[in-house]
Amino acid sequence: KMAGSSPPWIGSAYLFLQSTCESIALPALYESSQKKPRVFRALKLALADSTGSMNGVDVLKVHCSHPHLIVQLKFCKRESCRRFLQSYREGALRKSLQSHLQLSLAVTTVPLAMELKAGSEHLDDMLKDEDHCLECIYREKPDRLRDEEITELEESLKSLTVHQSINNNVAVKDCTPLSPPSLPPSSQGSSLSPQVTFVFQGQVFANRPLLPDDHQKFAKLVSKKWKQVGRSLQRSCRALRDPVIDNLALEYDREGLYEQAYQMLLRFIQSEGKKATIARLISALEENGLISLAEELLGLHSTEDCS
């Protein structure tokens, strides 16, 4: 009944960020003209990790209020907001932001404290009641348009993404400057830094290490093509040479395809560590025509099912 006439779901919240390391002050970094784009990029990529899309949540303004960096967020879809809350509650958002800040700022670690507010409500006190959190965020309509400075930072990030995706054909690699650099095409090797974002079917996705859920879905759905995927991965992973793949097929023959595929990807993850990323697996799936499985791993199917 309400499908055609209901207003769009829009809500707002404030994310308070503070480094718990005395030598790293996030507001000071953000106030630096050189560091600001790097901090902003790390923030955007972490938010993309939390919602599954670069457009899952909009940054309206970033306030510097020592010792806090306060980020005003705008959500335009209930499902995106729900995913954000789950990521925040489980600590995945914090880990992702720490990781992206480390890469962008070239530091060893950035310990973070986070707090989430919607109006006068402290959402950290009610995270287990997800629906109530959604209600509080929905009640708080954004009180501003996107700040001009944020628009400029977004455009810089976008131009970097487009430039590098053309340069590398498949993925955007991590690089410190935000202005579009001239990068030579390079072969995919395990010595390379993990890519920050990658392009799949014209959409930009934040890169991340493979999760246990990815591992299980892959093993369940790849079926007989696990060997082909393994051979695609072997070009940048020494642990998956042909004898290894053949041995896995023999060793786990009785257990069936699921276990064979599971063990193959396990070898990849154990060998590559943090470099065993979703971008590399998606690239191998695309190469072998497994587009549907790639979409499943990126949440494209489940998103449609939820709507």
Side-chain angles (χ1 to χ4, degrees), residues 7-270:
W9 196 98
I10 294 175
S12 180
Y14 285 90
L15 181 63
F16 288 71
L17 305 171
Q18 179 185 354
S19 167
T20 55
C21 173
E22 288 183 10
S23 61
I24 298 174
L26 290 179
L29 289 171
Y30 195 80
E31 285 169 342
S32 157
S33 57
Q34 282 189 323
K35 302 284 176 66
K36 180 180 290 186
R38 302 179 194 180
V39 175
F40 181 76
R41 183 178 61 180
L43 179 62
K44 281 291 291 183
L45 293 172
L47 290 170
D49 285 346
S50 74
T51 60
S53 166
M54 288 296 280
N55 302 314
V57 56
D58 197 12
V59 175
L60 297 183
K61 187 172 176 63
V62 177
H63 307 263
C64 292
S65 177
H66 295 268
H68 292 103
L69 201 63
I70 307 171
V71 187
Q72 186 175 7
L73 304 173
K74 175 186 175 183
F75 299 92
C76 292
K77 287 184 180 176
R78 183 185 180 91
E79 194 54 40
S80 294
C81 189
R82 189 183 292 279
R83 286 180 181 176
F84 168 84
L85 284 170
Q86 289 168 352
S87 177
Y88 181 84
R89 184 180 67 237
E90 292 163 6
L93 176 62
R94 179 190 280 108
K95 286 181 184 175
S96 175
L97 183 52
Q98 286 174 328
S99 173
H100 287 304
L101 283 169
Q102 281 175 240
L103 283 170
S104 290
L105 299 171
V107 292
T108 51
T109 181
V110 186
L112 288 175
M114 289 185 168
E115 193 176 350
L116 190 63
K117 295 182 183 179
S120 60
E121 299 284 358
H122 290 248
L123 301 185
D124 296 73
D125 300 334
M126 56 181 84
L127 287 172
K128 289 182 180 178
D129 191 349
E130 198 173 275
D131 287 333
H132 186 48
C133 288
L134 285 165
E135 240 176 73
C136 294
I137 291 172
Y138 178 67
R139 280 202 305 265
E140 289 299 315
K141 301 303 179 195
D143 59 359
R144 68 167 72 243
L145 296 173
R146 186 192 288 172
D147 200 71
E148 283 184 19
E149 182 183 65
I150 299 296
T151 302
E152 288 173 15
L153 288 165
E154 293 270 12
E155 288 304 314
S156 297
L157 186 58
K158 210 175 287 180
S159 66
L160 174 70
T161 299
V162 171
H163 176 87
Q164 289 187 328
S165 61
I166 291 169
N167 232 4
N168 298 300
N169 202 15
V170 174
V172 177
K173 299 190 184 302
D174 174 48
C175 46
T176 325
L178 206 59
S179 55
S182 175
L183 290 176
S186 54
S187 59
Q188 289 185 341
S190 56
S191 62
L192 293 177
S193 300
Q195 304 148 353
V196 172
T197 60
F198 64 103
V199 179
F200 175 73
Q201 293 187 338
Q203 290 187 58
V204 179
F205 292 89
N207 197 9
R208 55 174 173 74
L210 291 169
L211 304 172
D213 189 48
D214 302 321
H215 197 165
Q216 290 167 6
K217 280 183 181 176
F218 170 82
K220 183 180 176 183
L221 300 171
V222 70
S223 192
K224 294 178 181 179
K225 284 200 172 182
W226 70 267
K227 279 189 178 182
Q228 286 98 309
V229 176
R231 291 193 176 102
S232 293
L233 290 171
Q234 77 179 201
R235 287 199 293 273
S236 60
C237 177
R238 293 178 183 176
L240 289 179
R241 297 304 180 202
D242 277 332
V244 174
I245 292 175
D246 293 334
N247 286 340
L248 287 173
L250 290 170
E251 190 178 345
Y252 295 97
D253 181 53
R254 286 186 180 180
E255 284 84 350
L257 292 172
Y258 176 95
E259 194 61 25
Q260 290 170 335
Y262 189 92
Q263 292 297 328
M264 183 277 289
L265 198 59
L266 182 61
R267 295 291 192 284
F268 176 66
I269 293 168
Q270 288 175 335

